[in-house]
Amino acid sequence: MNISPNKEASIGFNAVIPFLTILMLIFLMVLPYNIPLISDIMPLLTLIGVYYWSVFKPEYLPIWVVFILGGLQDILMGSPLGLMPLLLIVVQQFIFFQGRQFLERDFIFNWFVFVMLVIGFGIMSWGISSLYFRALLDYWDVLGQILMTIAFYPVITWLLGLTRKFVK
Amino acid sequence: MKKIGQKFTAFFFIVASIALLLMGRSQSALIEQTRAQIFNAFIPAIKVVDFPRGATSSLSDWIRNVAVVFSDNQFLREENANLKRQLTEATELEIDNLRLKNLLNIKDGTLTTITASRIVSDSNSPFFKSMLINSGTNDGVKKGHAVVNEEGVIGRTINVAANASRVLLLNDINSRIPVKFADSGVNVILAGDNSPLQLIEFMPEEEKANIGDLILTSGMGGVFPPDLPVGVVSEFTEFGGIRVNPSVNLNRLNYVSVTEYEIASFPTLIEEPVETPPQNEEVEE
């Protein structure tokens, strides 16, 4: 996706909002909820955040910010460092590769594309984690997470939509 | 040209992510220290975000406690009477035990509670089972300390910062805890596999396990003190594996204790010089 020079110049403070919203989603993912099974089906909130901002305001979510946020998520979650940056950057590149087709469609189409993405994300996350631990991890575990992420997509998107109003 | 530049940047960060993964796999000390510094810095922010959830949870707990206060009171009175009786018996047994240990010259290790900590964050992932607690090197916590609560074993510290530590839970795929069967004393290993039930490894073929068998820490390895409750045998897999239900409810953890166990040191045996008769001594006739 091309970013025009004048847009690049006006990034400044606006870029803070996507960063802060995704940071907040990371915090929400790592809180100790004390609810049975929640740890196995926690929705991938940061994926929703990166998807949303990469589609609607890609100029405010540069790749290095995704890298830092992904790394931070790994550090706070205790997952292998590099896993989340890798997966989130691949997702962002996929969106950029598709271009503005996303923006020209409606919410249902966006959601449908997101479903495809989250399935791919889940499979990749399972595959890389299995390779990392040199053990075949249970792939059923990630299914609950995928379904919850799909279910949470409208809510998180709506909340991010509210914050988007502050981004010029 | 700009597109090529963007693709190159993406390629660079993808390679950087893979490099981080590979470095992390080799347990790089630098990576571990960096991780510790960063999660230590973010603990206050997580606490702020967690405040509404914590307050709501405390309120609901308070309401629940008030609702059951009368029934709890009756139950606790009866339990108190039972415990007093058991305390007398236990004291007698402890004196006997100590006397017998002295006779056999057996020395126990020392168990020290380093600190009580609050759980600040959870992995909340199906593949990684760990949590952050709000105690670190400033409280005396070190890497490899055992983390327990009144119900039993929770895990051990794997990465320690100044004011926070990461605890690897006993159900994580990387967790291995030396345990034993309480009845038979057979030493085995309890392995986590990210599922709610843990797996017994290295069970001798001639030994048998039964549903309900109590599993305790064996004390081997020096991380966990011996005889802490770990769980009970709850099911057998179709391939003959033994699954253990942990005694700790990992979904209801709020506070934990970090403990240090020191194995008893034995006095080293000093070889006394053997007295040899002088070679050139004349034999008296």
Side-chain angles (χ1 to χ4, degrees), chain A:
Chain A
M1 184 163 284
N2 287 322
I3 303 169
S4 60
N6 59 339
K7 266 191 174 177
E8 218 170 44
S10 69
I11 286 176
F13 180 73
N14 287 325
V16 172
I17 291 176
F19 177 83
L20 286 181
T21 51
I22 296 173
L23 185 65
M24 187 59 77
L25 293 173
I26 293 174
F27 288 160
L28 290 177
M29 279 188 77
V30 298
L31 293 185
Y33 289 101
N34 286 345
I35 301 170
L37 289 177
I38 195 74
S39 68
D40 288 335
I41 57 167
M42 171 58 72
L44 301 155
L45 303 179
T46 40
L47 174 64
I48 302 175
V50 168
Y51 177 80
Y52 182 87
W53 290 113
S54 299
V55 167
F56 293 108
K57 291 283 178 189
E59 61 272 29
Y60 298 144
L61 193 65
I63 192 164
W64 61 270
V65 172
V66 178
F67 182 80
I68 289 171
L69 286 166
L72 189 60
Q73 186 175 354
D74 281 338
I75 288 167
L76 295 180
M77 278 178 63
S79 46
L81 189 61
L83 177 69
M84 276 298 153
L86 179 64
L87 293 172
L88 292 175
I89 288 169
V90 168
V91 164
Q92 197 189 35
Q93 290 308 303
F94 174 79
I95 297 163
F96 288 175
F97 179 73
Q98 292 297 316
R100 303 193 71 85
Q101 288 168 352
F102 290 105
L103 290 169
E104 289 163 5
R105 307 292 182 98
D106 55 5
F107 172 79
I108 297 295
F109 179 78
N110 266 334
W111 198 2
F112 177 74
V113 174
F114 181 75
V115 168
M116 299 291 117
L117 259 177
V118 76
I119 290 170
F121 187 96
I123 292 169
M124 276 173 63
S125 146
W126 167 79
I128 296 171
S129 301
S130 294
L131 272 175
Y132 187 86
F133 293 124
R134 292 173 193 169
L136 200 64
L137 298 174
D138 194 353
Y139 51 83
W140 287 108
D141 285 343
V142 85
L143 187 69
Q145 222 178 5
I146 290 173
L147 293 174
M148 283 291 278
T149 311
I150 294 166
F152 266 75
Y153 177 80
V155 182
I156 303 296
T157 306
W158 176 71
L159 288 171
L160 292 172
L162 296 178
T163 64
R164 200 173 118 203
K165 289 172 188 167
F166 300 103
V167 182
K168 288 175 187 170

Side-chain angles (χ1 to χ4, degrees), chain A residues 30 34 40 77 79 132, chain B residues 25 35 122-123 129 166 254:
Chain A
V30 298
N34 286 345
D40 288 335
M77 278 178 63
S79 46
Y132 187 86
Chain B
R25 188 79 187 90
R35 287 182 82 124
D122 195 317
S123 286
K129 306 289 181 187
R166 181 163 292 287
N254 282 317

